[in-house]
Amino acid sequence: MLPPSAKLHNAADTVPSKHLHSSLNKIKHPVNIVRWTPEGRRLLTGSSSGEFTLWNGMAFNFETIMQAHDSAIRAATYSHSEDWLVSADQDGVVKYWQPNFNNVKAIQAHTDPIRDLAFSPNDSKFVTACDDATLKIFDFSGGTEESVLTGHNWDIKSVDWHPTKGLLVSGSKDHQVKLWDPRTGRCLTTLHGHKNTISKTSFEPSRGQLLATCARDQTARIFDLRMMRDICLLRGNEKDVSTLTWHPFHISLLTTGGSDGSIFHYLLDEPNHPPGTAATIPPYDSPDPSSAPAQTIYPAHRLQYAHDFAVWSLDWHPLGHILASGSNDRVTRFWTRARPGESECFNDRYHLGEAAAEAQGTWDRRGGRRLMREEEELEMEDEAEGLVDQQMPARQPVLPGIPGLSAPVGTTKDGTSFGGAQPRLPGMGGAPVLPSMSAPNGIATMDPNQFAALVAEGKIPLPPPIGGLAGSNLGLPPPPPLPANFDFSKMPPGMFPPHFSAPAGFPQPSPVSHSITLPGIGSDAGSGGSGSIRKRGPLPSQQESLMEEQRRGKYRTVR
């Protein structure tokens, strides 16, 4: 099978009618955003729990998961240069991400939920759409707000930036679609046509001459920017249309997702009128294009039961052969083209429903549930294996002030330190003192004069000499004699025993203080001497690191 880019004039061969795989997390949450990475190797999903999940783009298995936001992720988009990812959440926070998902910046763009965002053609700016009925344009490199666009009377649900021009489009809960000049912030025109909340607005990415909108009035419309009017009315949805997306190569292929879980594919050059309905002509072929009614187009292919609940996001693979969908049923699904001559995929439960597919024998309810359980177990295993590298090692108890030295068994714990309980040495820092061992015959508490008298009377035996007791071999052997040419001057200071008399002519080493103090222990623990604690300064934050790189002349302009 040839890739879609090889058949630019045959969009019907690219319609994704076959279900490939269903991916779901171990802990399931509604999937609000699905975005393919620029190279197409992975799919990024953002959930209502604020987590990013990466799925493999070929095996569709789990790769990794991370807590990206503190609240539900509402929008995410890659820059045109493919160097940055920007995401927004329910709390109005916008975060910058590098391709390796290193978060380098976070700004409080709004105080209300951000519903959508888009990059300018040169990636120097981006725009956000918020529930506070405003659009805000930010400078990307500095993260500073440049202008605020006001004009909508209710929550703004969608925004898009023209792929080549300085033109913005926004859709709001006030049923209006507005076009804006981002330089002046002026509303250029308002497009009327929908009768309910606008859920999605999107420019056609290849040429930029068409604008697609969908709303909760069960319809989608195609506007021609050269005529500033709607030319196509997309019907067929039985419920509200929640999202839509253009194919990256075929400008005539548009896909919509409904609030009932359906996915419909439209071919703008094929009306596909159902039997019993009157055919309509496009405005271009009418005698008066400015006043002719819009052409009604029906789906070329229907996935009526693609999901169990509303489809929130759709995104095409960069090569245009796989479509990913994220839904409120907490499942991410992958769809692709059917092979030539393949017809079984059109009779599965995603086309007919579970009951009809089971009646035809193409769907086994018990087997399907067993298969789903097996897929869930595989995803759980993949997730467990993928998170092994992200687990922190167990914290081993160490002695305070002595890095790398483990604390002995039986040390007590002190829960007042940061990071949990820390070991304490007995007798230090309020720890209980170990009981002292009583010496035999009370020698430890005896008066020195009384001890000397007892020794003189012979009541206390003296320790044996170094050579051992006379006539016995229980003592230590005598030390070996020193060489005749031994140089005492090379001995380190402090190594001689007390009252040691050096031979004649022996040079005395200079006295050097060599007292050893454990770091953090002793009276000079707070001083800056050798016995003080070496405190490492705090690491710079990611924002400070980005600002430092910008001061060095990097990351000022978008490549």
Side-chain angles (χ1 to χ4, degrees):
M1 296 179 66
L2 295 176
S5 58
K7 297 183 177 182
L8 295 179
H9 301 289
N10 195 356
D13 291 344
T14 310
V15 173
S17 57
K18 180 181 178 181
H19 171 257
L20 271 180
H21 188 78
S22 296
S23 300
L24 60 163
N25 292 79
K26 177 181 178 181
I27 301 177
K28 306 175 185 63
H29 296 281
V31 181
N32 296 334
I33 293 296
V34 292
R35 290 290 180 269
W36 286 95
T37 56
E39 78 283 355
R41 294 186 178 182
R42 297 172 179 86
L43 179 74
L44 173 71
T45 64
S47 68
S48 60
S49 63
E51 295 174 332
F52 275 160
T53 305
L54 277 179
W55 304 95
N56 188 282
M58 296 186 65
F60 313 115
N61 60 314
F62 170 86
E63 285 202 356
T64 188
I65 188 172
M66 62 178 293
Q67 189 68 41
H69 287 264
D70 297 331
S71 59
I73 300 174
R74 294 297 179 187
T77 184
Y78 277 93
S79 62
H80 298 90
S81 63
E82 303 178 356
D83 292 333
W84 294 96
L85 169 71
V86 174
S87 60
D89 63 15
Q90 182 79 11
D91 295 335
V93 177
V94 174
K95 290 189 176 183
Y96 293 11
W97 305 87
Q98 291 176 328
N100 60 354
F101 295 98
N102 178 34
N103 179 219
V104 298
K105 197 180 189 65
I107 58 176
Q108 187 71 45
H110 297 266
T111 56
D112 291 331
I114 296 176
R115 297 296 177 176
D116 204 359
L117 52 82
F119 270 100
S120 63
N122 59 0
D123 293 338
S124 62
K125 306 179 191 305
F126 67 92
V127 61
T128 59
C130 181
D131 277 355
D132 59 6
T134 63
L135 299 169
K136 288 187 178 181
I137 299 177
F138 291 84
D139 177 69
F140 176 73
S141 60
T144 56
E145 176 185 321
E146 289 193 346
S147 60
V148 179
L149 282 61
T150 59
H152 280 290
N153 301 319
W154 216 342
D155 304 352
I156 301 179
K157 298 299 183 182
S158 179
V159 69
D160 195 19
W161 205 308
H162 195 277
T164 59
K165 295 177 172 51
L167 183 64
L168 296 176
V169 61
S170 63
S172 171
K173 201 173 180 180
D174 59 6
H175 312 174
Q176 296 179 356
V177 176
K178 290 182 179 291
L179 296 174
W180 308 81
D181 183 356
R183 300 177 183 88
T184 62
R186 184 172 61 93
C187 177
L188 300 177
T189 187
T190 301
L191 302 176
H192 301 276
H194 290 287
K195 300 177 181 179
N196 211 320
T197 301
I198 309 297
S199 54
K200 186 68 175 178
T201 58
S202 177
F203 287 109
E204 194 277 314
S206 299
R207 303 177 183 177
Q209 297 176 352
L210 302 180
L211 167 66
T213 63
C214 62
R216 297 181 61 182
D217 57 3
Q218 306 178 12
T219 64
R221 291 179 181 268
I222 307 297
F223 292 86
D224 192 330
L225 298 179
R226 297 166 296 182
M227 303 171 62
M228 281 299 174
R229 57 150 299 174
D230 53 341
I231 58 172
C232 295
L233 174 62
L234 309 184
R235 293 188 177 274
N237 285 275
E238 299 176 358
K239 298 292 183 179
D240 303 340
V241 184
S242 54
T243 186
L244 56 81
T245 183
W246 292 92
H247 192 271
F249 300 111
H250 299 295
I251 63 174
S252 62
L253 178 56
L254 185 75
T255 303
T256 64
S259 61
D260 57 351
S262 61
I263 296 178
F264 290 173
H265 305 289
Y266 294 87
L267 296 174
L268 303 185
D269 51 1
E270 296 182 11
N272 295 299
H273 293 285
T277 59
T280 58
I281 61 173
Y284 306 114
D285 298 337
S286 63
D288 187 7
S290 60
S291 61
Q295 183 183 21
T296 303
I297 297 179
Y298 291 88
H301 187 80
R302 302 169 187 253
L303 286 166
Q304 189 68 49
Y305 306 95
H307 286 271
D308 297 334
F309 297 103
V311 179
W312 293 133
S313 183
L314 297 168
D315 195 37
W316 281 97
H317 190 278
L319 296 180
H321 66 298
I322 297 177
L323 176 69
S325 60
S327 170
N328 200 49
D329 61 4
R330 309 175 184 183
V331 179
T332 302
R333 289 201 166 104
F334 299 86
W335 314 87
T336 189
R337 304 168 291 173
R339 293 184 176 92
E342 187 176 6
S343 60
E344 294 180 357
C345 62
F346 300 103
N347 296 321
D348 60 6
R349 70 185 186 97
Y350 304 107
H351 290 81
L352 306 178
E354 292 186 359
E358 188 176 12
Q360 289 193 7
T362 58
W363 164 253
D364 181 9
R365 189 179 299 271
R366 295 181 179 179
R369 291 177 179 175
R370 184 180 67 254
L371 181 60
M372 181 171 292
R373 285 196 300 269
E374 293 176 356
E375 291 180 354
E376 290 182 3
E377 292 175 358
L378 289 176
E379 298 295 350
M380 291 171 62
E381 293 177 2
D382 292 340
E383 185 168 348
E385 294 174 359
L387 295 179
V388 168
D389 297 337
Q390 303 180 21
Q391 294 179 355
M392 295 297 293
R395 186 171 183 176
Q396 299 294 333
V398 296
L399 289 176
I402 312 178
L405 184 59
S406 301
V409 179
T411 55
T412 59
K413 296 288 184 177
D414 177 17
T416 60
S417 301
F418 177 77
Q422 302 291 335
R424 297 184 298 169
L425 291 178
M428 296 178 55
V433 181
L434 295 178
S436 60
M437 300 180 61
S438 59
N441 302 325
I443 295 178
T445 59
M446 186 179 297
D447 182 68
N449 297 328
Q450 183 183 2
F451 178 76
L454 293 175
V455 172
E457 296 175 1
K459 296 181 178 180
I460 298 180
L462 292 176
I466 296 177
L469 296 174
S472 69
N473 56 356
L474 301 177
L476 297 175
L482 295 175
N485 57 351
F486 183 77
D487 188 2
F488 286 90
S489 63
K490 296 183 178 180
M491 294 286 291
M495 295 298 294
F496 299 115
H499 310 294
F500 175 80
S501 58
F506 177 74
Q508 294 289 340
S510 59
V512 178
S513 174
H514 58 279
S515 60
I516 301 176
T517 306
L518 293 178
I521 302 178
S523 59
D524 60 341
S527 61
S530 60
S532 62
I533 300 176
R534 292 186 60 188
K535 295 183 178 180
R536 184 174 61 182
L539 296 176
S541 64
Q542 296 173 344
Q543 182 178 2
E544 293 174 351
S545 301
L546 179 60
M547 296 175 63
E548 179 63 26
E549 293 295 330
Q550 291 178 346
R551 282 194 290 269
R552 295 177 182 176
K554 300 180 180 179
Y555 303 116
R556 289 188 172 274
T557 59
V558 179
R559 290 178 292 176

